[in-house]
Amino acid sequence: MVLVGVYLFSLSFLSSAKGWTDTKQRSFREGFLFGAGTSAYQVEGAWNEDDKGESMWDRFTHEHPEVIEGATNGDVASDSYHFYHRDVEMLRELGVDHYRFSIAWSRILPTGLSNKVNEKGLKYYDNLIYELIKYNIEPVVTMYHMDLPKRLQDLGGWANPLSVEWFVEYATILFERYSSKVKYWVTINQPNKICMDGYGDHSMAPGINMKGIADYLCVKNIMLAHAKAYRLYEKNYKANNYKGLVGIALSMNWAEPVNNKTENVKATDDYRAFTIGLYMDPIWSAEGGFPKVVRDTIAKKSKEKGFSKSRLPELSAEEMALLKGAADFLGMNHYTTFLVQKGSTDYESPSFLDDVNVDLTQGKDWKKSRSSWLKGAPFGLYKIYLYINQKYDYPKTFITEHGWSTKPGIGDQSRVDNLRGYLFALQLAMEDGADVIGYTAWSLMDNVEWTAGISERFGLYEVAFDTEEKKRTARMSALVYKRIIETRIIEENWTPDSMNIQISNRRTNKNKVEL
């Protein structure tokens, strides 16, 4: 049973982040995985080398360079395609247990279809995975991280029901190649971001902007694609004694009412159903399928707008059965918290925003990052675990992303504070029974942050984008994270003895590189 009231004293710290209010020394258990993550489009570069096909992000940024702040796209990015050895060296410096990275679909299948497999692209990932395993770093492979092959997008992308089979064909190639080497698989990263921002809006590729229609088509197809890939692995690879786990990574930011007014509590419940339940319920809920409030709301508003049926596609009984239980773990991408109240904005209709009908704010005293949407509220991580544990019966989770953005510079004290606060919140959640495989810091290094370009830096390592070698330099947060991994505890007052983090005289062994 969740001990809801036990840690109220600790939550006062988590909310204010001014200092510990609890003197108990906690440690992360042996076997808990610490790691760092990246995604292919954001770090690899080499966008058209070695027979790689064009992705929808390549096309989006080439045709609309004005959407990228500073006009820096992913053509070169951090150039991990050529400097992956340095990336692995950085992971060894940190002493991590795992590295979460994604495979670029268009690097493996240039047209998106399985009739032409690019061996040069596979060789790159062969080499990366070999290098990780060589140093006892667990590869955590994301199969799709928002970079659909352009040719498939020309056919409608995730709004086309055939996308389910396209993804399964792609997944088959990856499973055949890497199931003996990769234990942890993430099928798809953040369906809500893909669908709501890319198909229901124009803020992300492919920029379809068919609000309230294309986004829901995308949701159904992308969830079925995940489920079919999961069942494929379950049938053909688990049965062959590959003891791997397959999950999906969802955006899991917390939301709570701005006050206790009934209308705002109801609005918050609805918002959670649209942003969490729409993706979790089909897999983890006892009933299965999309949440009732989501189905009812969209059906009602569709009818009011003259549609012959709901804009939210139905799930058949067979599809519901396919989805139910189709994950070994929930990948949690958690960054921040929002305060919710009943909507007062006249949103365009039909649209996802009109369907949800809420207004979002954040705490005025919460610490600000470089990103306008990202403020620190560590209590939100604790509370979202209370929520999913009660609603979905303690699902196995893997924090697949958590991070903080800053300006350039290696003295990133705000990232250090954020890291410590959220890891402390995670410890409290685990004490209350949360089943957590591990934690993934986002990101290993500065990357191209989609339409924000390189204006928002999320890296534990700073990347000098203006140098040919894309020089990587450890930030203060890298040293603090390294210390946490080594000791498995959070030392509030520990800071590096020196910010001289040049690495020319490192001590090396098979598994680590000492800074």
Side-chain angles (χ1 to χ4, degrees):
M1 181 177 179
V2 176
L3 306 177
V4 176
V6 170
Y7 290 118
L8 291 179
F9 68 100
S10 297
L11 291 180
S12 67
F13 157 73
L14 293 173
S15 180
S16 65
K18 292 180 179 178
W20 309 121
T21 59
D22 178 5
T23 59
K24 179 180 178 180
Q25 180 64 73
R26 295 172 170 82
S27 63
F28 289 93
R29 69 175 186 274
E30 287 299 317
F32 182 87
L33 302 177
F34 285 103
T38 61
S39 85
Y41 177 79
Q42 294 178 273
V43 300
E44 280 182 8
W47 78 275
N48 61 352
E49 291 187 38
D50 290 339
D51 299 328
K52 177 185 174 294
E54 189 177 13
S55 77
M56 70 178 184
W57 267 95
D58 295 328
R59 171 189 279 185
F60 186 60
T61 57
H62 295 162
E63 292 185 351
H64 302 284
E66 73 280 359
V67 305
I68 309 298
E69 188 170 345
T72 301
N73 60 28
D75 287 3
V76 179
S78 310
D79 205 9
S80 288
Y81 191 75
H82 298 110
F83 297 117
Y84 71 89
H85 283 285
R86 173 63 181 131
D87 294 349
V88 176
E89 187 177 49
M90 287 148 52
L91 295 163
R92 294 171 61 202
E93 290 167 3
L94 292 170
V96 299
D97 304 297
H98 73 272
Y99 179 42
R100 181 195 174 205
F101 63 95
S102 74
I103 291 177
W105 189 337
S106 57
R107 198 177 293 283
I108 305 305
L109 302 176
T111 67
L113 300 174
S114 60
N115 63 306
K116 181 182 179 182
V117 180
N118 181 20
E119 188 64 30
K120 293 177 184 177
L122 285 167
K123 187 63 177 176
Y124 167 70
Y125 296 109
D126 289 349
N127 292 338
L128 175 57
I129 291 171
Y130 171 80
E131 194 76 2
L132 292 169
I133 293 173
K134 175 182 176 182
Y135 295 110
N136 296 328
I137 300 169
E138 196 79 59
V140 177
V141 172
T142 302
M143 302 167 78
Y144 180 74
H145 199 120
M146 303 170 69
D147 53 353
L148 194 71
K150 180 206 72 170
R151 297 296 295 276
L152 297 186
Q153 186 54 51
D154 290 342
L155 296 174
W158 291 110
N160 186 336
L162 291 175
S163 60
V164 177
E165 301 308 320
W166 300 335
F167 184 73
V168 171
E169 290 180 355
Y170 166 58
T172 300
I173 292 167
L174 298 189
F175 287 150
E176 280 294 309
R177 188 85 167 200
Y178 300 121
S179 283
S180 64
K181 301 176 179 67
V182 174
K183 180 178 179 181
Y184 297 101
W185 295 90
V186 176
T187 55
I188 295 167
N189 184 75
Q190 290 189 186
N192 69 315
K193 195 75 174 173
I194 298 164
C195 297
M196 303 309 166
D197 292 355
Y199 288 80
D201 200 356
H202 51 68
S203 58
M204 300 283 280
I208 300 301
N209 198 28
M210 195 170 184
K211 299 181 187 299
I213 300 171
D215 37 15
Y216 295 129
L217 294 174
C218 171
V219 169
K220 176 178 178 177
N221 293 332
I222 216 166
M223 294 300 292
L224 291 177
H226 156 77
K228 284 204 169 185
Y230 176 83
R231 299 303 181 193
L232 170 69
Y233 187 89
E234 182 181 52
K235 178 181 178 181
N236 294 344
Y237 300 93
K238 281 193 176 182
N240 290 336
N241 295 319
Y242 296 134
K243 298 179 180 180
L245 302 178
V246 179
I248 185 171
L250 305 179
S251 177
M252 297 290 289
N253 292 319
W254 179 235
E256 59 182 47
V258 69
N259 56 40
N260 289 327
K261 289 184 178 180
T262 300
E263 63 181 15
N264 294 331
V265 172
K266 172 65 165 59
T268 303
D269 288 340
D270 291 351
Y271 179 77
R272 292 174 189 158
F274 271 88
T275 59
I276 296 174
L278 187 61
Y279 309 96
M280 284 201 70
D281 276 25
I283 299 173
W284 283 278
S285 73
E287 301 80 12
F290 296 134
K292 185 176 186 302
V293 68
V294 175
R295 289 185 278 115
D296 290 349
T297 298
I298 298 174
K300 178 177 180 290
K301 292 196 173 188
S302 297
K303 185 176 181 180
E304 291 172 352
K305 287 294 178 181
F307 289 90
S308 61
K309 60 180 181 179
S310 176
R311 291 173 282 113
L312 178 67
E314 291 184 4
L315 291 172
S316 68
E318 181 182 8
E319 289 167 340
M320 288 176 64
L322 177 75
L323 279 158
K324 196 170 175 59
D328 298 314
F329 65 88
L330 162 65
M332 287 185 63
N333 291 0
H334 179 87
Y335 286 87
T336 192
T337 289
F338 296 103
L339 304 177
V340 183
Q341 62 187 32
K342 183 180 178 181
S344 59
T345 304
D346 187 16
Y347 293 112
E348 181 180 344
S349 180
S351 70
F352 172 79
L353 292 177
D354 182 68
D355 292 336
V356 181
N357 191 30
V358 300
D359 294 335
L360 302 179
T361 58
Q362 293 179 300
K364 293 180 181 179
D365 60 340
W366 298 354
K367 287 189 176 179
K368 299 178 181 179
S369 73
R370 176 67 170 167
S371 307
S372 61
W373 56 272
L374 177 53
K375 289 188 176 182
F379 69 88
L381 179 59
Y382 177 82
K383 287 189 173 183
I384 200 167
Y385 266 112
L386 292 182
Y387 177 78
I388 66 170
N389 288 343
Q390 291 176 352
K391 187 172 178 62
Y392 301 106
D393 194 23
Y394 294 82
K396 184 181 293 294
T397 67
F398 198 143
I399 295 185
T400 39
E401 287 184 30
H402 166 257
W404 186 255
S405 62
T406 63
K407 297 178 181 179
I410 60 175
D412 57 342
Q413 184 64 50
S414 65
R415 180 176 288 107
V416 170
D417 294 341
N418 185 267
L419 176 68
R420 285 174 168 155
Y422 275 87
L423 285 176
F424 181 60
L426 181 60
Q427 287 181 324
L428 298 184
M430 292 170 69
E431 283 187 7
D432 276 2
D435 185 357
V436 190
I437 297 170
Y439 168 89
T440 311
W442 187 270
S443 60
L444 174 61
M445 70 198 108
D446 290 340
N447 54 40
V448 173
E449 190 55 32
W450 309 111
T451 56
I454 59 173
S455 66
E456 300 171 6
R457 305 296 184 95
F458 277 86
L460 295 169
Y461 283 73
E462 180 168 61
V463 174
F465 288 101
D466 58 349
T467 63
E468 185 175 351
E469 70 276 17
K470 308 301 177 200
K471 182 180 178 183
R472 288 106 154 101
T473 304
R475 289 192 165 105
M476 180 196 297
S477 57
L479 302 184
V480 171
Y481 189 40
K482 173 184 174 69
R483 176 72 174 178
I484 291 170
I485 294 169
E486 287 176 341
T487 62
R488 310 194 80 76
I489 63 175
I490 307 167
E491 300 166 283
E492 181 188 7
N493 297 318
W494 185 86
T495 57
D497 293 333
S498 169
M499 282 306 296
N500 179 12
I501 49 181
Q502 299 302 313
I503 53 178
S504 58
N505 296 314
R506 288 162 297 187
R507 294 186 293 116
T508 65
N509 59 40
K510 178 175 174 57
N511 300 322
K512 297 180 180 179
V513 177
E514 300 295 338
L515 284 171

